[in-house]
Amino acid sequence: CENGIYMYEYVDVGGVKQYIQIRGRDRKNPLLLFVHGGPGGSMAGLSHVMFGTWEDNFTVVHWDQRNTCKTYLANKDRAKEIAKTGTVEDYIKDIDEIIGYLHTVYEFDKIILMGFSWGTVIASEYAKAHPENVSIYIGVGQLINYVEGFEVVCNQLLERAILSNNKKDIAKINKILESLPENGYATDELLKQVQVYIKLGSKYITKNTRAFPTKEFFQSPLLDKASRKTWFKHDTKMFEGTFKTMCEYDFRDNMNFSVPVVFITGEEDTSCPHSMLQEIIDSVEAPKKELHILSKAGHTCFWDNPEDFLSILKGCACEKI
């Protein structure tokens, strides 16, 4: 597109060579920074599939965080060292430097900051710390407390498994609960149990969600073979510091924002249950705030119900809620 921007850069951020992707069809559109989940859950390689319609209305920035996908590949020799980092302060500095870099390639005043899942931890904290750089904070699948979220959904799964008299599933759910971290450190066993948890969630709760776009993933022009392989690496040691940050975090410790906030979540979200957000929404302090629970949508609600999601997103950006 003549007025568009399509940039794929490696930038020194926090002393680490980090991958930044900028895509949009019109430079006059608002700038939106998408902070991915995981940890390690880059979505830049699927931006043309999952976020293509966004690019008509926004310039969308994706960033591969520390030890994630293309950033990991660019720093493999330092991966173990980088794994020890990952405090909230580390990520706030990263986001600040990324926004500073974006000012050198794009004309904007403030940025729309969107966090997804784990990304809501660092994006929300950045919005609180640097409201001067953020026009609006959007939390998608807002993480309140990692362990409590699992417990809430496991109890829902347990109720359904008991009603179904499925003793095998009851045993699996109890094993998941036993694997939850108590000391702030995630283990490979936890990641193994998370996969079981996802399957049980699909069986009992997430019945209206869309399948992962496998074909598009393997054919993505934005990913090479090495980048695709990183998606299937499940090594908690590569995110030791980040997992500790996530496991110890509690959104309820500080719910005071100086910028408008919007929370968007799926009614079938089993990773960050909306019931926890509904319980505290009245206590969130912000100039303006909204909570949207999308029907027929799970954790990746922007993929499951893209039309409603984009409608909310466009409304937020145009009206600053």
Side-chain angles (χ1 to χ4, degrees):
C1 298
E2 186 179 343
N3 296 322
I5 180 169
Y6 298 89
M7 294 182 64
Y8 311 91
E9 305 282 347
Y10 287 91
V11 180
D12 188 313
V13 176
V16 178
K17 189 178 180 182
Q18 303 202 38
Y19 176 72
I20 298 175
Q21 177 177 295
I22 309 169
R23 290 168 55 94
R25 294 185 177 86
D26 191 336
R27 281 178 174 268
K28 294 179 182 178
N29 286 334
L31 191 64
L32 184 154
L33 174 59
F34 181 90
V35 184
H36 69 69
S42 168
M43 306 200 81
L46 280 171
S47 62
H48 63 306
V49 178
M50 290 190 166
F51 309 98
T53 55
W54 297 19
E55 294 171 9
D56 291 328
N57 304 278
F58 303 89
T59 294
V60 184
V61 180
H62 286 270
W63 150 53
D64 286 0
Q65 297 165 23
R66 295 166 179 242
N67 273 1
T68 297
C69 202
K70 293 182 181 181
T71 293
Y72 163 74
L73 292 172
N75 301 274
K76 286 182 74 173
D77 58 332
R78 297 180 57 200
K80 290 183 179 179
E81 169 201 340
I82 293 168
K84 302 291 184 183
T85 69
T87 63
V88 169
E89 291 73 23
D90 287 334
Y91 283 110
I92 284 178
K93 288 178 182 177
D94 284 357
I95 294 173
D96 204 42
E97 288 187 29
I98 288 167
I99 292 174
Y101 163 74
L102 291 172
H103 275 292
T104 69
V105 297
Y106 202 86
E107 190 174 333
F108 69 100
D109 178 23
K110 296 184 178 183
I111 200 164
I112 298 169
L113 185 61
M114 178 185 290
F116 169 57
S117 193
W118 141 255
T120 64
V121 172
I122 53 180
S124 65
E125 292 306 311
Y126 183 85
K128 296 170 199 171
H130 292 284
E132 71 279 5
N133 294 329
V134 179
S135 62
I136 183 171
Y137 167 67
I138 304 174
V140 182
Q142 181 69 45
L143 191 150
I144 307 301
N145 181 284
Y146 185 68
V147 173
E148 282 186 38
F150 267 105
E151 291 172 340
V152 166
V153 178
C154 278
N155 286 329
Q156 293 174 2
L157 292 172
L158 203 55
E159 288 176 8
R160 289 161 173 76
I162 289 170
L163 284 172
S164 301
N165 196 29
N166 193 319
K167 294 180 181 179
K168 286 186 178 180
D169 285 352
I170 292 170
K172 288 178 183 177
I173 295 162
N174 285 324
K175 191 171 182 180
I176 294 167
L177 288 166
E178 290 170 6
S179 74
L180 294 177
E182 296 180 354
N183 58 1
Y185 288 97
T187 62
D188 289 336
E189 175 61 24
L190 170 62
L191 292 191
K192 182 179 172 183
Q193 292 304 319
V194 165
Q195 296 306 308
V196 178
Y197 172 89
I198 290 170
K199 289 179 182 177
L200 288 169
S202 298
K203 182 176 180 179
Y204 291 106
I205 298 174
T206 57
K207 296 182 178 181
N208 294 296
T209 57
R210 296 172 72 187
F212 179 81
T214 305
K215 180 180 177 182
E216 290 83 354
F217 169 77
F218 283 106
Q219 294 180 351
S220 172
L222 302 173
L223 292 169
D224 57 17
K225 188 175 181 181
S227 299
R228 290 188 189 96
K229 281 186 176 179
T230 65
W231 276 54
F232 303 102
K233 287 181 179 289
H234 300 287
D235 186 355
T236 55
K237 292 177 184 176
M238 287 298 96
F239 299 98
E240 184 178 330
T242 301
F243 266 118
K244 189 172 190 298
T245 295
M246 183 172 71
C247 292
E248 293 179 341
Y249 180 77
D250 197 310
F251 178 75
R252 296 165 294 197
D253 290 341
N254 177 7
M255 297 189 288
N256 299 315
F257 291 84
S258 300
V259 300
V261 297
V262 174
F263 300 103
I264 312 174
T265 186
E267 66 176 353
E268 298 179 1
D269 192 332
T270 56
S271 295
C272 300
H274 61 77
S275 60
M276 293 184 71
L277 189 54
Q278 286 177 295
E279 287 175 1
I280 63 169
I281 190 64
D282 288 343
S283 299
V284 174
E285 295 291 335
K288 293 182 180 180
K289 63 184 175 184
E290 288 183 1
L291 168 60
H292 299 271
I293 301 174
L294 298 188
S295 61
K296 296 184 178 180
H299 195 45
T300 51
C301 56
F302 49 84
W303 171 242
D304 297 326
N305 191 338
E307 294 83 8
D308 287 351
F309 189 96
L310 183 59
S311 177
I312 294 167
L313 187 55
K314 287 163 66 176
C316 294
C318 292
E319 299 178 22
K320 300 290 191 298
I321 68 168

